[in-house]
Structures are given as structure tokens and as C-alpha cells.
Amino acid sequence: MSPKSRAKRITRIVEPAPFTPCFAYRGSPSARQNLFCEGVSLDRIAGSVGTPAYVYSRGSIEGAYRALDRAFGSLPHTLCYAVKANSNLAVLRVLADLGSSFDIVSGGELDRLRRIGVPGNRIVFSGVGKTVEEIHEAIRYPGSRSRSAGILVFHVESAAELDLLLAEASRHISAGGSRPNASLRVNPDVMAGGHPHIATGGRGHKFGVSWDEARQLYLAHKDSRWLAWRGISAHLGSQIFSLRPYRQALTRLASYARDLAREGIPLDYIDIGGGLGIRYTRESPLVPATYARALARIVRPLGCRLLIEPGRALVGPAGVLLTRVLYEKANRAKNFVIVDAAMNDLIRPVLYGATHAITPAVRHRSARTKATRVDVVGPVCESADFLARDWLLPQVRPGDVLVVWTAGAYGFVQSSNYNARRRAAEVLVEGRKFRIVRERENYDDLVRGEQL
Ligand code: LLP
């Protein structure tokens, strides 16, 4: 569905229902209301930090993590937050403090975890293109005091990667190190996910190895001196709202784990990846308890620990993007609100046809009665530069702050310097306090490393 037609269907939502209790309008409905993140007004943050700025609620991240963790109850499980969704150090620290483990896909993400002191036994490493340097670093990553060094498990995605891991491991072990733990990431051949770009578990996708190849590789390296098979993993896609693909893939993973145990390869971990969908406008996310119950039913009889890799579900609803109105204009039949955030700040609308709700940080009763359909666009020189199309917005004026909702996941991390624009500031709200957790870039940052 094109972004335009999707936005068009949303006829009644001018302001979204509170997606998370940590964001709410306060004040008199008959006069002026201010949108608060926990105990701080977003208009105040915009005034103090400037715009565009990403704002994250600590309480919202904590609430999402705890709800999901609690849902699994007594089932042995580990939540491995997918760092790619939002890798700000302060956000990672919030999750580390909650006891979260982490799913990484690059040396850069590993480095971020090292900087905040996450021990190796809380890290799993996925990704189709791990380089020799990344494998080298992860094998030698500091463990916790109680465990040997290295990360919890490498999710190996091809036979060639396995060869590289074995070669690196043999060097490491010859120098006195211990065997790395590994699992194979299978391509489950299950279609799921909200947009073609974010579906990953189909047979035509680059991720993982086929079921047959996985079996061969497990058996070929059954008694390896250089690595220990510890698990099996899969990731189906993102923005999933149905239990069916999870059940389908996990049932298959479980039967593989049983088969491998019979072959003398008992596994400790079974990893079903991330993908839990969230509500941007009108989607109906899976209830954590329902999701957990369905997975637990399949995994419990195996006696394996279940790993899940949620990204968006933990941080998406916890973040908003603040932007200020620069101009309004009408071109023939179209009304435009031109704001100071652009596609370089939030690429999801144009890349995935994603709809992020947009509302004013301060709403006036009189303005609400004059809602009109507008395209909310940025200053970048492309027609692809829009945050929303045909969005019903109350009357706004230059200088007003707009709030782009549900931007905590895949927002800042996918931002760029296109058009020589400085990347936005990031702010963390904790109760009545807020602090900048990443400064807005300056022009020196933009030319760092360049030579004349
Ligand atoms: N595990 C693996 C191996 C993944 O590749 C991903 C996401 C996740 C976990 C986390 O998935 P989540 O729970 O966040 O759905 N940029 C896109 C999303 C790309 C997701 C890529 N992989 C977007 O903005 O929608």
C-alpha cells in the first residue's frame, strides 16, 4: 500500500490515543494542553535543546522490558535487545541496568556494549557479513567474572562464515583461549513482516542457511576442537502481528533441536529472533502474555533456554521526534507544513511507507476545530522528503513544535548527514528530569576526517 493511501484511510485520528502511559497531554481540554513525556513538557525540551530532537522516555523502555520479561514467567528465557533499533549509549545503559542481554550485528555495536561494560555472556552476534576483525574482537570480548571470555553465542549465517570462525577460534585456542559458542541461523522459509524490506525469513532472503545445510554443518562439526554448538536461531522479520509465523518457525526449530540431540548435539539455546509489532496508528500488537504463552508451549518440553531479540517493541513507543514548523504553504490543491526535521532524520516514511502519527506539542481547542490535511515535509531537496502525507493536522503556525510519535526505534540510528545536515540531538527523560544523551552535531563534526 502506498504511504499516501495508507494515510488517507486514517480519517479520524488527529491525535493518537496515548500509545504509552509515559506520553500524555496535560491541561484543560477546553483551553490549552501540553504534551508531556513523563514529568516534562515536550515544548519545554524543544525550547531548551532545539529541534529536531529525539526524546526517549526511560519509564516507557523499562515498562516494555518488564512486561515482556514477566510474560515469560518461569520459562528459562533471555531477552536480547536488538541494539540496531536504538544504539544510543544511554538507552543501552537503561536496558543493561534492567538485566537485558543484547543482540548485535556489527563490531560497532559490540564496541558500544564494551563502553558501557556489558559482559560477553550477555551478547549474541547475528549478521550475514561478519568480518574477520569483528569475529576476532567478539571471540576475545571480556566475559563476566564467573564465565570464560567471549560472547554468549555467534549466530553463524553461512558455511563460509563458519570456516572463518573456525580459523579465528583455532588461533585463539592455540594462544590459550577458550572455544567460542556457536549456533546456526536458519532461514526458516516463513514469510512474515510488515513491509518487503523488513521481512527476512523467506527462502529468497539473504539471511541464514537452509534447514538441510544447517543439519549438515552441525553434524560435520559435531566434535570440533574449535567451537561448541550451543544453539539454533532464526529471525522472521519485523512488525509481526500474528502468532502463526512464530509458531510455525519455532515448531520447526524445536524439532531440529530434538533431532540434533538424538545425533549427540544437545543444544542449550533456541533463539526465535525479534519482530514483535507495535502500534504506529491503528495496528493491534500481540499481547506479551499471549505471545509468551505460545512460545513457551513449544519450548518448555525441550528444556532449552528461549532467546528472543526484541528491538522495536522495547524502544519504539518510548521515543518521539520533535520538530518545529518553519513555514506553511499551499501549492495548488496541496497544503504543506514545512518543518525543520527531514528524511535524513527519519527515513521510515519514505523507505517503508511507514505512518508515524504527528501532533502538536501544544494543542489549543480553537485550532483543533480547524484541522486540515497536510503533507508534513522537510527542507531536503527531494520529493521523497516527507514525514507524513495527507495527515490531518490541527491548525499550526511557524514556530510551533510538532511531535512525531513512535520514533524510538529505527529513527535516529537510520539518520544521515544528507544535504550536509547535522544529525539531531537525543534526549532522555527520567521522571521530572531530562538530559541530552547525544549532542546535536555541529559543522566541524560534519567535515571531520575530510582532507583538502
Ligand atoms: N534480530 C535480528 C537478527 C534482526 O535482524 C532484527 C531486525 C531484530 C532482531 C529486531 O527486530 P524488531 O524486534 O525490532 O522488529 N529498519 C526497519 C526494521 C529493520 C529490522 C531489521 N532486523 C524499520 O524501520 O522498520
Side-chain angles (χ1 to χ4, degrees):
M1 189 185 304
S2 76
K4 192 169 168 179
S5 55
R6 189 181 296 205
K8 272 248 164 83
R9 284 188 335 177
I10 297 163
T11 50
R12 263 172 297 165
I13 298 175
V14 179
E15 280 108 22
F19 295 164
T20 147
C22 295
F23 291 86
Y25 280 98
R26 293 192 195 161
S28 157
S30 60
R32 180 191 146 99
Q33 290 188 310
N34 246 300
L35 184 57
F36 275 69
C37 172
E38 302 190 22
V40 192
S41 132
L42 290 173
D43 197 49
R44 193 178 133 218
I45 295 179
S48 149
V49 172
T51 51
Y54 277 93
V55 178
Y56 311 123
S57 151
R58 181 185 189 113
S60 174
I61 299 172
E62 289 177 342
Y65 179 91
R66 290 195 177 117
L68 197 51
D69 190 40
R70 249 196 325 265
F72 284 97
S74 64
L75 181 80
H77 67 278
T78 302
L79 305 195
C80 303
Y81 166 67
V83 173
K84 64 173 79 66
N86 184 328
S87 57
N88 182 284
L89 292 177
V91 169
L92 296 177
R93 168 60 59 73
V94 169
L95 285 151
D97 287 350
L98 287 163
S100 184
S101 290
F102 297 88
D103 165 54
I104 59 162
V105 290
S106 73
E109 291 184 351
L110 186 68
D111 174 68
R112 285 176 172 266
L113 296 180
R114 189 200 314 269
R115 285 172 193 266
I116 62 162
V118 172
N121 64 352
R122 284 167 64 180
I123 301 173
V124 304
F125 196 167
S126 310
V128 285
K130 302 179 192 77
T131 64
V132 67
E133 292 82 11
E134 288 171 334
I135 291 175
H136 180 97
E137 287 297 312
I139 284 183
R140 290 164 180 78
Y141 188 91
S144 73
R145 253 170 282 137
S146 59
R147 293 275 194 111
S148 60
I151 59 169
L152 182 69
V153 65
F154 284 87
H155 291 329
V156 176
E157 300 214 19
S158 65
E161 182 194 332
L162 184 58
D163 287 343
L164 200 63
L165 177 61
L166 289 165
E168 272 305 305
S170 74
R171 274 192 279 279
H172 179 57
I173 292 164
S174 310
S178 50
R179 280 193 309 172
N181 297 325
S183 80
L184 285 171
R185 174 169 172 183
V186 289
N187 178 312
D189 192 13
V190 166
M191 285 309 282
H195 185 277
H197 293 354
I198 59 175
T200 53
R203 63 169 63 213
H205 293 132
K206 67 180 175 180
F207 301 97
V209 296
S210 71
W211 293 102
D212 291 344
E213 188 179 5
R215 192 167 196 281
Q216 283 164 22
L217 291 174
Y218 276 115
L219 294 178
H221 299 276
K222 177 177 164 185
D223 300 310
S224 173
R225 287 171 60 199
W226 312 123
L227 63 76
W229 289 127
R230 299 291 300 278
I232 187 161
S233 78
H235 170 74
L236 312 179
S238 222
Q239 274 298 73
I240 299 173
F241 296 99
S242 154
L243 287 176
R244 199 161 40 99
Y246 283 117
R247 281 208 190 100
Q248 214 180 323
L250 194 57
T251 304
R252 189 107 197 245
L253 287 172
S255 85
Y256 250 65
R258 277 195 199 92
D259 173 45
L260 291 172
R262 279 193 295 272
E263 297 283 355
I265 306 176
L267 301 180
D268 303 319
Y269 309 120
I270 186 156
D271 185 331
I272 189 63
L276 269 179
I278 61 170
R279 181 174 174 214
Y280 285 89
T281 49
R282 299 204 298 198
E283 301 88 340
S284 303
L286 286 168
V287 175
T290 316
Y291 164 75
R293 209 177 309 121
L295 301 192
R297 197 166 292 152
I298 302 166
V299 174
R300 203 184 285 280
L302 283 179
C304 289
R305 171 170 288 269
L306 176 69
L307 309 188
I308 62 166
E309 302 171 357
R312 190 189 318 261
L314 298 185
V315 294
V320 294
L321 171 62
L322 302 183
T323 182
R324 215 175 266 280
V325 176
L326 299 173
Y327 304 103
E328 286 175 280
K329 80 183 216 182
N331 270 357
R332 300 188 183 90
K334 269 266 180 205
N335 293 312
F336 295 96
V337 172
I338 302 166
V339 297
D340 64 1
M343 65 187 285
N344 74 297
D345 297 300
L346 183 67
I347 198 153
R348 299 196 72 260
V350 63
L351 193 54
Y352 311 112
T355 305
H356 287 257
I358 301 182
T359 68
V362 178
R363 63 187 187 187
H364 304 271
R365 188 162 190 273
S366 55
R368 283 165 77 190
T369 55
K370 295 185 203 133
T372 44
R373 267 188 201 286
V374 298
D375 281 14
V376 181
V377 299
V380 160
C381 297
E382 292 214 25
S383 296
D385 180 24
F386 58 89
L387 297 180
R389 278 182 162 166
D390 293 312
W391 186 252
L392 205 52
L393 200 65
Q395 194 176 42
V396 291
R397 290 199 196 87
D400 285 357
V401 174
L402 298 184
V403 179
V404 184
W405 289 75
T406 336
Y410 307 109
F412 181 88
V413 285
Q414 295 200 114
S415 64
S416 76
N417 294 119
Y418 186 41
N419 276 207
R421 287 171 54 84
R422 299 165 296 165
R423 280 182 298 170
E426 291 178 287
V427 172
L428 183 67
V429 175
E430 297 166 307
R432 290 162 177 272
K433 295 197 202 124
F434 69 93
R435 62 194 163 94
I436 295 175
V437 291
R438 190 181 205 275
E439 286 175 9
R440 182 181 315 288
E441 285 177 332
N442 59 38
Y443 291 136
D444 288 337
D445 294 329
L446 263 57
V447 295
R448 182 156 304 122
E450 289 185 35
Q451 311 277 340
L452 278 177

